[in-house]
Amino acid sequence: MAWMKRTALGLVVVALLAGTGAAVYVQRSFATLDGTLGVAGLAQAVQVRRDASDVTHIEAQTPQDAWFAIGYVHAQERTWQLEFNRRVMHGQLSEVFGSATLETDKLMRGLDIMGVARRQYAGLPLYAKEALQAYSKGIHAFHKDRPQALPPEFHVLGVQPGGAQGAVWEPEDSVGWALMMALDLGGNWGTEFARLSVARTLDTDRLWQLMPPYPGEKPAASADLAAMYRQLGVYRAGGAGSTAAAQGRAHTATAPEVNPPPSDGVLSRQISAGMLAWAEELTRNAGTNEGKGSNNWVLSGTRTVSGKPLLANDPHLGLSAPAIWYFAGMQAPAGQASDGTPMGAMNAVGATLPGMPFVVLGRTDKVAWGFTNTGPDVQDLYLEQINPADATQYRTPDGWAPFKVRNETIRVKGEADVQLQVRSTRHGPVLSDVQKSHADVLDLGKYVIALRWSALDDDNQTVLAGFKTNQAQSVDELFAGLAHYHSPMQSVVAADVQGNIRFKAAGRVPLRDAANDIRGVAPSPGWDARYDWKGWIPYEQTPQDDGTRGWIATANQRVTAPGYPHFLTQDWALPYRYERIAQLIEATPQHDAASMQAIHRDVTSLATRRLLPHLQQAQSKHALAAAAQQQLQGFDGVMDAGKAAPLIFVAWTDELARGVIIPRIGEERFTATYGKRDYRAALEGILERNDSWWCQPASCAEQSAAALGRALDRLQAVYGTNPATWRWGTAHPALSAHRPFGNVPALARFFDVSVPSHGDAYTVNVGQYNAGEASGPYVNRHAASLRAVYDLADLEQSRFIYQTGQSGLVFSPRYRDMSSTWAETGYRALQSRPARWTHELTLTPSSAPTSAAAAR
């Protein structure tokens, strides 16, 4: 008995010690927010203060110290995010995650993201280089005398910040991260390749029915694409895709799983499996604008209660935990670079990107601005013909030329290093060397595909524009600074305290030859010079609007006026969000901040309204059809999370797309091109034309009814047999996923941030889902990454919110504390002169290590 008591007591002591150790570790992982920290590398003391909205305010005596301090703060709060992002763009994920991320690493090496970044950095003016150097030094200073414990991601994965070399963040990495944002937002090569792929089974007229041009326009390409590709013999033998029994196939739905805590081996396998799925999605969706969008609008004083402008912005990006944004204010007087170049004073507050030392979206004390993606065609794919007599050569207008070859070594955890040979042509990198999907479609013995992408040009100085905006004191100064902006082109709206408003598309867009009959919408013969770019649209000729009608809005719709002389793209987003914003602006003669916020909140889907009559008329014999139609009575396209009707509608459109498109292009090709691309415009055309070719062998009405039956089968398997209890928000939570622990069921509940959400891809309050996902096909993974409203009558009355929290440290109460407010479309104050501080930290120059205990 005594032995058992001693054993029990020992176990209790061990548990208490373990609990105490865990508690100490959790506390030590928090960022130091108060007190004084000595930091080597500063010239003078810097105040780092947090306000009641948890916005971090940096007040420095020189611009260099301000950039240093924002680097230090980003490292404090987002250490793992910086590490993960650095590894993504360097193509070094496989050092941590093994072969699961090898294809992503190959793509980044093939694009040569960091090689390009180094060349672009070398071309920056000295003061911009010194700004990036100061930022990098701030991150390094945090890690040198780290006053807090590393977050759990490093310990679980066995990773050291910066890898073996300790290169936690170099100045060139900020340029590289600007390129990664361009990759996320500035691409259409995936759409071009999809057209090449489906042209194998569709003639060109049917291709334009499946992937229509912008409403009211003709296809940009006059060439017969399908005939051209057949004549060139670009396709590999076989691989046409499966069409058998596809029409009646029901998409698999899965219920949420409850999992026990994993063992180390299970944990490792789950992380690998999750990262494999993430990497496949990244490489599959690289080079596509499908499902990506944003809103911004600005009203002149003639349309506001105050008589001064109001401006709103909500950029739509992939949701993640932590969020992509970090809100901060930066203040410093004017200074100069080491060569005497003047540096303007800064007083900016808003959204920063960890990895960048400036406010990307926000305001100064005199001007506010917001971005949406313009989405011009700045990526062209070229079919490069291989010399049949010498595979090291490809065809050019001047004859055969050798590929440029570069060798890359990718370290892979637990496996031998991978030696990768990547080629490039006069157009750019050969994507076929690093994208597996090309081998499924092309005869790679005869042709490869190379990429021409404006963002990869050495003269890309986008980061320079970021510094300029933070010094702007008027709309004119803001757009003068944005003349340096290169990639990705953004539709910028701005307003200043003098009452000026303006829209301008800022960025680089190529000019194409008048004889170019493909115009970059699909892969072009690389040996024909008429398909080469002929220069750039001058900055003064990019689309612009000075707001003469009293308001301006952009939502990724066509922003060029009739008669605009230059071709930008035909792949604008469908105009439903823009049309709804315009309706709501015009419905109120005089707006205030509350009415601007109400527009942010709107979840009426004009796209749903367009197709809804076809669903309501569907005559299904399914046992739940009558109950489902009852839920649809009175439904007017408001995608309310608390209703069943939006869920029924979305499941029906998903099944309808599968039912009418798969038999025509094959299941494999459909799977490769579906997901964020939902083929909504194609469905609208098919049903409104009552197109018997697409709907065969049934009628379109029969296809609609069959799709409803399959949708109801799916929904009842997951949500039960009573449609009255189904809820759109249950199927459509806004999921901000952590990388990599969001893929581990036992850890995801701690690291992911998930809240019910309204909307769909076509509502102002957007809720983009990926219907191609086998698990969680309607989960909202792409939404308003932030919302902001700026009142130029009193910029201190500006408001913001985003979907997680400022801290990227999972144990922190600041990790997810904005999520509920974001889901309810609430806001926090965005001030540069808050009434009080909740935390005050002073960073002081030091050449000696700092005592963390003394700092606290």
Side-chain angles (χ1 to χ4, degrees):
M1 182 65 69
W3 175 83
M4 292 177 64
K5 288 180 179 179
R6 287 195 300 271
T7 301
L9 179 61
L11 291 173
V12 169
V13 169
V14 169
L16 287 173
L17 288 173
T20 301
V24 169
Y25 166 71
V26 168
Q27 185 64 33
R28 287 198 63 242
S29 72
F30 292 169
T32 301
L33 305 181
D34 296 286
T36 301
L37 282 173
V39 181
L42 281 173
Q44 300 180 61
V46 176
Q47 297 297 318
V48 180
R49 298 178 287 195
R50 271 84 172 176
D51 64 19
S53 297
D54 203 21
V55 175
T56 301
H57 295 260
I58 293 168
E59 186 175 352
Q61 300 307 306
T62 66
Q64 290 90 337
D65 277 353
W67 294 318
F68 181 103
I70 191 64
Y72 192 93
V73 167
H74 282 165
Q76 270 191 316
E77 303 270 33
R78 302 292 183 88
T79 311
W80 173 249
Q81 185 178 35
L82 286 169
E83 176 69 20
F84 188 85
N85 291 347
R86 184 187 64 80
R87 287 186 174 275
V88 171
M89 63 187 175
H90 280 259
Q92 294 177 348
L93 286 173
S94 299
E95 292 182 12
V96 177
F97 300 107
S99 58
T101 53
L102 184 57
E103 294 307 314
T104 297
D105 285 349
K106 287 180 178 180
L107 179 60
M108 298 307 151
R109 302 292 185 94
L111 293 173
D112 195 23
I113 292 294
M114 289 314 303
V116 171
R118 293 182 187 100
R119 293 192 294 274
Q120 292 178 355
Y121 172 80
L124 291 173
L126 180 63
Y127 72 90
K129 290 181 184 177
E130 291 185 353
L132 298 181
Q133 290 164 10
Y135 178 72
S136 172
K137 289 175 182 176
I139 297 174
H140 277 272
F142 169 80
H143 285 283
K144 181 176 181 295
D145 299 317
R146 194 181 305 122
Q148 65 197 65
L150 285 172
E153 292 93 334
F154 290 94
H155 298 292
V156 172
L157 297 169
V159 175
Q160 284 297 314
Q165 290 75 37
V168 288
W169 195 269
E170 302 308 308
E172 298 90 342
D173 289 335
S174 293
V175 181
W177 196 240
L179 285 171
M180 292 301 296
M181 294 304 298
L183 179 62
D184 185 43
L185 295 172
N188 77 328
W189 92 59
T191 301
E192 292 184 29
F193 188 77
R195 290 189 177 110
L196 171 71
S197 178
V198 299
R200 178 166 189 164
T201 55
L202 298 179
D203 63 32
T204 301
D205 288 341
R206 301 292 185 194
L207 169 64
W208 293 125
Q209 291 175 354
L210 180 65
M211 304 177 74
Y214 194 67
E217 297 182 4
K218 295 179 179 179
S222 58
D224 187 338
L225 298 175
M228 180 185 71
Y229 295 142
R230 284 195 300 269
Q231 290 167 5
L232 292 175
V234 303
Y235 299 110
R236 74 176 180 89
S242 171
T243 59
Q247 187 172 354
R249 184 185 62 84
H251 185 55
T252 302
T254 56
E257 297 180 359
V258 178
N259 293 273
S263 65
D264 286 347
V266 173
L267 175 66
S268 179
R269 289 194 295 273
Q270 289 180 344
I271 291 174
S272 293
M275 289 305 296
L276 176 61
W278 172 83
E280 288 179 343
E281 181 183 4
L282 186 148
T283 53
R284 181 174 64 250
N285 291 323
T288 175
N289 283 330
E290 299 286 348
K292 299 174 183 177
S294 305
N295 307 315
N296 62 16
W297 61 94
V298 61
L299 280 63
S300 73
T302 63
R303 297 300 304 266
T304 69
V305 173
S306 71
K308 289 288 188 177
L310 289 165
L311 188 149
N313 191 200
D314 54 299
H316 308 158
L317 297 169
L319 302 181
S320 62
I324 192 172
W325 303 111
Y326 182 86
F327 267 72
M330 299 178 65
Q331 297 182 38
Q336 62 181 26
S338 62
D339 64 351
T341 302
M343 292 177 171
M346 72 177 84
N347 183 12
V349 61
T352 71
L353 284 169
M356 301 281 197
F358 46 77
V359 172
V360 178
L361 297 172
R363 67 176 183 86
T364 66
D365 53 346
K366 298 291 179 60
V367 61
W369 67 93
F371 286 6
T372 70
N373 205 29
T374 312
D377 187 348
V378 296
Q379 294 179 338
D380 279 2
L381 295 183
Y382 289 91
L383 288 161
E384 307 286 23
Q385 186 176 8
I386 298 172
N387 187 344
D390 184 353
T392 67
Q393 296 180 333
Y394 69 100
R395 186 180 174 189
T396 78
D398 300 318
W400 301 106
F403 288 100
K404 292 182 180 178
V405 178
R406 179 166 42 85
N407 294 307
E408 295 277 347
T409 299
I410 302 175
R411 294 180 58 196
V412 182
K413 182 180 179 181
E415 299 181 21
D417 293 351
V418 171
Q419 304 300 323
L420 177 67
Q421 186 180 84
V422 289
R423 296 172 290 179
S424 62
T425 72
R426 66 193 188 94
H427 296 115
V430 174
L431 285 182
S432 305
D433 290 342
V434 292
Q435 281 208 299
K436 293 192 300 184
S437 58
H438 290 195
D440 297 331
V441 177
L442 294 173
D443 183 344
L444 294 181
K446 295 167 62 178
Y447 297 95
V448 294
I449 285 184
L451 170 68
R452 177 73 173 99
W453 178 23
S454 60
L456 298 180
D457 286 7
D458 290 351
D459 64 349
N460 182 349
Q461 295 190 344
T462 295
V463 293
L464 181 57
F467 295 117
K468 296 286 189 180
T469 60
N470 286 205
Q471 302 167 9
Q473 294 296 295
S474 68
V475 164
D476 285 342
E477 286 187 15
L478 181 88
F479 283 107
L482 286 169
H484 297 280
Y485 194 93
H486 191 292
S487 300
M489 176 176 263
Q490 296 292 288
S491 295
V492 186
V493 297
D496 60 29
V497 295
Q498 288 80 29
N500 302 299
I501 69 170
R502 189 178 304 163
F503 149 74
K504 188 169 181 61
R508 189 73 68 86
V509 181
L511 291 167
R512 293 179 172 85
D513 195 304
N516 184 337
D517 58 356
I518 298 177
R519 302 183 88 180
V521 302
S524 304
W527 56 91
D528 192 332
R530 62 179 161 152
Y531 299 118
D532 293 340
W533 294 354
K534 305 303 180 183
W536 307 99
I537 299 175
Y539 182 61
E540 60 272 15
Q541 295 180 24
T542 63
Q544 180 173 314
D545 184 344
D546 291 326
T548 53
R549 64 174 169 176
W551 62 270
I552 311 164
T554 78
N556 316 112
Q557 85 287 357
R558 177 175 179 164
V559 296
T560 54
Y564 181 73
H566 304 300
F567 174 73
L568 265 64
T569 184
Q570 75 165 25
D571 293 322
W572 310 100
L574 293 174
Y576 293 117
R577 282 183 288 110
Y578 169 78
E579 291 169 353
R580 182 60 178 169
I581 291 168
Q583 287 178 359
L584 295 171
I585 290 174
E586 292 289 1
T588 301
Q590 302 289 316
H591 285 268
D592 57 16
S595 64
M596 299 283 274
Q597 293 168 10
I599 298 175
H600 268 159
R601 197 174 297 120
D602 188 78
V603 290
T604 296
S605 174
L606 300 184
T608 295
R609 286 182 176 178
R610 183 167 176 178
L611 279 185
L612 183 60
H614 298 278
L615 170 59
Q616 292 171 328
Q617 295 162 14
Q619 302 295 313
S620 171
K621 296 180 181 179
H622 195 282
L624 299 184
Q629 289 290 0
Q630 186 175 3
Q631 296 301 311
L632 293 169
Q633 291 180 8
F635 177 50
D636 60 353
V638 176
M639 307 300 280
D640 188 324
K643 303 295 185 180
L647 177 58
I648 297 168
F649 174 83
V650 164
W652 168 75
T653 58
D654 185 9
E655 285 299 334
L656 183 62
R658 297 170 186 279
V660 300
I661 297 174
I662 289 176
R664 305 280 78 82
I665 68 172
E667 188 165 0
E668 293 176 7
R669 193 161 290 113
F670 179 85
T671 300
T673 57
Y674 188 58
K676 292 180 180 179
R677 178 184 294 111
D678 61 7
Y679 288 117
R680 182 63 65 89
L683 291 179
E684 292 169 354
I686 290 167
L687 292 183
E688 290 167 5
R689 294 191 305 272
N690 194 22
D691 195 316
S692 60
W693 187 88
W694 285 97
C695 292
Q696 63 178 302
S699 68
C700 289
E702 290 168 336
Q703 284 281 15
S704 178
L708 176 58
R710 296 194 301 274
L712 294 175
D713 282 339
R714 288 174 57 183
L715 296 177
Q716 74 171 348
V718 179
Y719 305 110
T721 58
N722 183 4
T725 66
W726 298 347
R727 296 291 179 266
W728 176 225
T730 304
H732 186 64
L735 176 63
S736 298
H738 180 273
R739 294 290 174 260
F741 296 156
N743 302 305
V744 181
L747 298 179
R749 59 195 179 110
F750 300 107
F751 286 87
D752 285 356
V753 178
S754 181
V755 290
S757 68
H758 305 283
D760 69 2
Y762 304 99
T763 53
V764 178
N765 185 1
V766 77
Q768 172 71 39
Y769 54 88
N770 184 345
E773 290 279 348
S775 178
Y778 306 137
V779 171
N780 179 3
R781 305 174 194 271
H782 198 279
S785 61
L786 67 84
R787 300 187 188 96
V789 175
Y790 306 96
D791 187 344
L792 278 298
D794 181 2
L795 279 167
E796 290 296 280
Q797 297 301 313
S798 300
R799 296 288 184 267
F800 85 100
I801 199 68
Y802 64 94
Q803 87 285 0
T804 58
Q806 287 278 78
S807 177
L809 307 169
V810 69
F811 300 122
S812 171
R814 302 164 50 244
Y815 181 76
R816 62 180 76 236
D817 60 329
M818 297 191 207
S819 58
S820 296
T821 305
W822 175 85
E824 296 162 3
T825 328
Y827 299 82
R828 291 183 176 185
L830 182 61
Q831 300 174 313
S832 59
R833 301 182 302 276
R836 67 184 181 89
W837 304 111
T838 57
H839 297 283
E840 298 187 60
L841 175 68
T842 302
L843 303 180
T844 62
S846 171
S847 58
T850 299
S851 165
R856 290 189 172 84

